[in-house]
Amino acid sequence: MKISFVNFRHFKKYLSMIAIIFIVAIFFLLYSCTNKLNNSSNLNNISDTSKDTSSQEDYFNDRLIVGYEDENKIPDILSLLDGEIILHIPELNAVSVKIKQNVENVINNLSKMGNISKYGIRYVELSHKRYLEPAYKSKEPEVSLSKELITVSYFEYANYTGESLDFYQWGHRVVGIKSAWAENLFGDNIVVAVLDTGVDGTNPDLQGQITEGYRPLYDFIVPPNSDSSYGGAHGTHVAGIIAAKLDGKGVVGVAPKAKIMPIVIFENGGWYIGDDYTAKGIIWAVNHGAKVLSNSWGGAGYSQILKDAFDYALEKGVTVVVAAGNSTSSQMFLYPANYPGIIQVGAAEFNGGNVKTAYFSNGSPMITIAAPGRNILSTMPQIGSKGYDSDSFVCSENGGYYGFMSGTSMATPYVSGIVALLLQKYPNAKPWQIRKIIQSSALDIDEPGIDERSGYGVVQAEVVNGRLPAIGGTDFIVHTTDYFGSWDIQSVFVSLVGTSTDNRQVRYFAKTNKDGLAKFISIDRGVYNIFVGGPDSFESSKGLITQCLRKEEERQYDFKNYNLSDLNTLDVKLSSSAIITLESKLANMKLVFQNMLKPSTDTTAYTYVDFSSTSSYDFSKLSGKYYIKAEINQPVMSDITLSGTIIINGSKIPIFGAITKGSTSTILRDRIGDYWTVFGGE
Ligand code: CA
């Protein structure tokens, strides 16, 4: 769909004026670009350092997130980690543990302990730091929005929404919000959770719009219509874009009869509460009736607990909307923006005649859609509230506070609000149906067709007149095991790269969890190349327990041209080849292969190979994480050094060991570690 916003009747007459305004606007844009970029990174730094002294790290260094197998084992886990439980999320079988030692050391030590599931642990990971996404905030618009500009290049100026500050709500005109309101769709009682800094429900334009909310950090229920703007003004601004009242005063949200559920994930000072508490907030929101999760935040670092929490939402039919970010770059590894199954939103701007993607808005192959995100006027916290911000002004009609912000943070609630309108009409729509219908009605901007900055284009409220797609989405699960299907393999990277049924180049990424499952919930159907690689030998440096130590032990599998409409689960069996060779033979020597994945009392954990007459052994049929011990009958009189190689998956690795005087055995290792991960084979 393509609409021209230029009114040609006036176009010629004002052509020269447009040119002048355009040049001036470009000047200001370039000027503000440099400033705003600097400002936004400063802002991030300030919120980062305000509370946490370890500001150099991109994670919290006093706690670890632990997924458990069995709730009864939590006490064992706590003693193993030398920590205390600070948070429990039974829905995700996870706890957050405050620890005394350096978190990376603890993870590395756990990785060396072999089968951690004997301690009841599914995974251990870091709690990452993430940030709000504001690019600009002021009581003035960033680029002057003159009445002439709107009149000439858009359409006849008229009070479009009937609100007293209507003039500045250019975004409502661009999305054509009244075409949804004309259908009597206002988002009636659809609950939209705003995961943000909290919301000042005392702003007169938000009074009555705010339902019960939650502060996961304190396990505190936020009463309806109260002030929860603990982390600043950001969440109040986001809330107003979704659901400010249609009452002739101030501004109006795109879904003025929707209800906002504040989930406070940026607390006092604006700092992020961590992936652990945020996951708890997501679960709370879903369990308390949220139908949309609006996420104007993000950061680096794949988090299993956040992935599990968003999957929990998607599996319960909750639509997840996430900001693409404002770092003026192309990104594929910001989260939650790049989890599968979500709606990822870029920011569009309007500064004279055209709507285009804003300069700061991140690109990504998985941008779903753009929405107005520059010079957005919305509600701000009232004076005296927790989140009061001096970058706001008072509206004389209602005494409410308002301000301008720019960012994908502002674009995201535009989409969340329109999702609420759709859910009023189609209450049982699946997340992928919502995503697809929104895509199908977008206003094409930037490069013709789908592009990596605006996705399908700018969201349009007219979408409510569209038909909910019956096909085009699916859930897809990749299950990774060893060659014999005897153990599930965690932290395998799974990428789906291909073309969706609506002809978009698509890329999804997920890691396998402890059950060996990489879940892709509510994604697009299509024909994909599926790349399965791992388990990741570098995992321990980024969180999650490592399954293998060496790059050479990782396995790679490609599945070309898989049609996901026919396939909901793909079983991938990893296999290995492995040969050990020792340079010197000792009388009566044998090698003992001990599988750490089995209890040491289990006799099947051991494989014995006579090495007195042979010097090499192919152990490709073994599957597990193995110590290899060289053992002789009699204690040796002086130190004996052993050396040789292990050829694993075709790569030759030098190994060594030393049976010291008076002892009978040694573990054979290389310079990286003392155990070997193999997945079995012929
Ligand atoms: Ca209003």
Side-chain angles (χ1 to χ4, degrees):
M1 191 191 73
K2 186 139 188 156
I3 297 175
S4 170
F5 286 104
V6 180
N7 185 325
F8 285 99
R9 237 170 358 112
H10 297 278
F11 189 77
K12 259 188 176 173
K13 188 175 163 189
Y14 290 103
L15 195 61
S16 56
M17 200 166 102
I18 291 171
I20 293 165
I21 292 167
F22 185 71
I23 290 162
V24 172
I26 287 289
F27 176 79
F28 276 104
L29 179 63
L30 290 174
Y31 175 78
S32 60
C33 278
T34 10
N35 275 336
K36 283 356 179 251
L37 278 174
N38 294 339
N39 286 348
S40 68
S41 56
N42 287 344
L43 263 177
N44 284 349
N45 288 343
I46 289 164
S47 59
D48 188 11
T49 52
S50 62
K51 195 76 183 180
D52 200 311
T53 49
S54 63
S55 60
Q56 298 311 307
E57 308 291 358
D58 60 358
Y59 52 83
F60 292 88
N61 66 4
D62 64 341
R63 64 204 207 219
L64 283 171
I65 300 166
V66 181
Y68 59 78
E69 306 255 22
D70 177 353
E71 205 168 323
N72 297 326
K73 293 237 175 134
I74 291 175
D76 295 350
I77 294 170
L78 295 179
S79 63
L80 182 73
L81 299 177
D82 189 20
E84 58 183 282
I85 190 164
I86 52 177
L87 175 68
H88 184 194
I89 310 176
E91 289 87 349
L92 302 180
N93 292 343
V95 288
S96 184
V97 178
K98 190 173 178 64
I99 55 161
K100 295 167 191 159
Q101 305 170 51
N102 175 298
V103 291
E104 288 211 26
N105 287 350
V106 175
I107 285 187
N108 284 332
N109 289 338
L110 284 171
S111 294
K112 291 174 186 154
M113 294 174 78
N115 182 11
I116 53 165
S117 59
K118 67 189 166 201
Y119 306 104
I121 297 175
R122 295 187 300 128
Y123 66 85
V124 177
E125 68 177 359
L126 306 167
S127 183
H128 296 276
K129 292 180 183 170
R130 301 182 199 275
Y131 306 97
L132 293 162
E133 302 287 359
Y136 179 85
K137 169 173 70 67
S138 174
K139 63 179 82 172
E140 304 291 339
E142 189 181 6
V143 174
S144 140
L145 293 168
S146 70
K147 193 168 183 171
E148 288 76 16
L149 200 61
I150 287 183
T151 310
V152 172
S153 59
Y154 220 72
F155 29 44
E156 293 292 340
Y157 175 72
N159 191 335
Y160 180 67
T161 62
E163 298 293 283
S164 62
L165 296 173
D166 169 82
F167 177 77
Y168 292 103
Q169 293 203 277
W170 66 269
H172 287 25
R173 292 171 167 81
V174 168
V175 303
I177 196 62
K178 283 167 77 175
S179 59
W181 296 351
E183 302 297 316
N184 219 13
L185 294 173
F186 296 94
D188 296 34
N189 296 316
I190 302 294
V191 176
V192 182
V194 171
L195 290 95
D196 212 293
T197 61
V199 177
D200 179 11
T202 72
N203 183 304
D205 235 349
L206 293 174
Q207 280 170 21
Q209 308 296 83
I210 314 298
T211 186
E212 196 171 75
Y214 188 55
R215 294 173 75 192
L217 187 60
Y218 302 104
D219 191 24
F220 177 81
I221 306 287
V222 175
N225 302 308
S226 64
D227 172 26
S228 64
S229 59
Y230 296 94
H234 192 270
T236 305
H237 200 270
V238 165
I241 294 166
I242 298 167
K245 280 191 283 193
L246 182 59
D247 58 358
K249 300 166 192 164
V251 299
V252 62
V254 290
K257 291 186 181 172
K259 295 291 173 215
I260 299 295
M261 173 191 279
I263 305 293
V264 188
I265 64 164
F266 291 86
E267 274 285 354
N268 300 327
W271 58 275
Y272 181 59
I273 59 173
D275 294 343
D276 37 10
Y277 288 102
T278 297
K280 174 147 193 200
I282 292 165
I283 302 298
W284 191 94
V286 172
N287 289 352
H288 289 79
K291 297 296 176 213
V292 189
L293 304 180
S294 194
N295 299 277
S296 293
W297 55 281
Y302 184 97
S303 158
Q304 190 65 51
I305 200 166
L306 278 186
K307 170 73 164 50
D308 288 350
F310 283 118
D311 281 349
Y312 181 85
L314 291 167
E315 284 172 333
K316 290 191 182 306
V318 174
T319 301
V320 180
V321 187
V322 183
N326 306 326
S327 36
T328 324
S329 60
S330 185
Q331 52 83 21
M332 284 186 292
F333 301 105
L334 289 182
Y335 295 96
N338 286 290
Y339 287 128
I342 57 124
I343 296 175
Q344 187 181 158
V345 183
E349 66 179 22
F350 166 71
N351 58 359
N354 269 317
V355 179
K356 63 188 180 71
T357 307
Y359 70 88
F360 52 75
S361 187
N362 282 346
S364 156
M366 292 309 292
I367 297 266
T368 309
I369 202 149
R374 192 156 183 220
N375 287 303
I376 302 300
L377 179 67
S378 184
T379 45
M380 294 285 276
Q382 295 295 102
I383 193 159
S385 68
K386 297 173 181 75
Y388 170 73
D389 192 310
S390 59
D391 281 331
S392 56
F393 64 87
V394 188
C395 171
S396 57
E397 283 81 9
N398 62 359
Y401 280 71
Y402 298 88
F404 290 89
M405 289 195 196
S406 296
T408 53
S409 281
M410 285 63 244
T412 298
Y414 253 101
V415 175
S416 300
I418 287 172
V419 170
L421 305 177
L422 280 167
L423 287 173
Q424 182 188 344
K425 185 168 180 183
Y426 301 112
N428 299 316
K430 291 177 176 149
W432 67 260
Q433 289 179 299
I434 295 290
R435 186 175 63 247
K436 288 212 167 277
I437 192 173
I438 280 184
Q439 288 172 182
S440 67
S441 68
L443 166 74
D444 194 4
I445 60 168
D446 295 355
E447 290 168 33
I450 305 161
D451 59 76
E452 295 196 357
R453 302 207 65 219
S454 69
Y456 284 77
V458 176
V459 65
Q460 297 292 293
E462 198 182 75
V463 64
V464 299
N465 296 316
R467 202 177 258 267
L468 207 58
I471 54 161
T474 189
D475 296 344
F476 177 60
I477 293 173
V478 173
H479 184 201
T480 53
T481 64
D482 72 332
Y483 185 76
F484 309 108
S486 62
W487 57 294
D488 298 319
I489 298 167
Q490 185 182 6
S491 80
V492 176
F493 290 24
V494 182
S495 295
L496 276 49
V497 181
T499 310
S500 66
T501 48
D502 38 15
N503 213 26
R504 177 173 200 188
Q505 293 306 304
V506 175
R507 175 185 293 267
Y508 297 107
F509 172 75
K511 292 185 196 179
T512 57
N513 61 19
K514 180 55 170 51
D515 301 320
L517 304 178
K519 288 184 171 185
F520 299 87
I521 307 299
S522 223
I523 62 165
D524 289 0
R525 287 186 175 194
V527 177
Y528 299 103
N529 295 328
I530 301 171
F531 301 99
V532 178
D536 182 17
S537 59
F538 293 104
E539 189 79 273
S540 63
S541 62
K542 299 269 195 318
L544 288 176
I545 293 230
T546 187
Q547 289 295 335
C548 72
L549 295 177
R550 300 165 191 84
K551 193 82 190 155
E552 293 86 344
E553 293 166 352
E554 294 181 5
R555 310 304 295 130
Q556 305 280 342
Y557 301 91
D558 296 352
F559 301 86
K560 292 286 165 65
N561 297 318
Y562 257 89
N563 188 341
L564 284 206
S565 58
D566 304 331
L567 182 78
N568 289 314
T569 309
L570 174 66
D571 289 314
V572 180
K573 295 189 186 309
L574 279 62
S575 65
S576 305
S577 67
I579 300 168
I580 183 169
T581 306
L582 290 180
E583 280 159 15
S584 43
K585 269 184 275 195
L586 295 179
N588 302 316
M589 188 167 76
K590 65 184 176 204
L591 296 190
V592 184
F593 293 78
Q594 181 189 349
N595 186 357
M596 296 152 61
L597 297 180
K598 294 183 175 177
S600 55
T601 50
D602 181 347
T603 54
T604 67
Y606 301 90
T607 302
Y608 302 91
V609 180
D610 177 10
F611 245 63
S612 55
S613 56
T614 182
S615 61
S616 96
Y617 177 68
D618 184 335
F619 61 104
S620 303
K621 283 196 170 68
L622 298 183
S623 174
K625 289 162 80 168
Y626 284 89
Y627 289 117
I628 305 175
K629 191 162 65 171
E631 204 172 88
I632 51 175
N633 289 349
Q634 304 272 328
V636 293
M637 306 302 286
S638 60
D639 293 1
I640 294 180
T641 307
L642 295 172
S643 63
T645 56
I646 285 181
I647 300 175
I648 196 155
N649 303 315
S651 294
K652 198 183 239 187
I653 300 172
I655 56 166
F656 53 85
I659 304 177
T660 52
K661 183 180 170 186
S663 68
T664 57
S665 68
T666 181
I667 296 283
L668 296 168
R669 54 166 296 149
D670 73 346
R671 54 180 188 81
I672 291 177
D674 57 5
Y675 69 86
W676 305 84
T677 308
V678 284
F679 306 105
E682 292 299 336

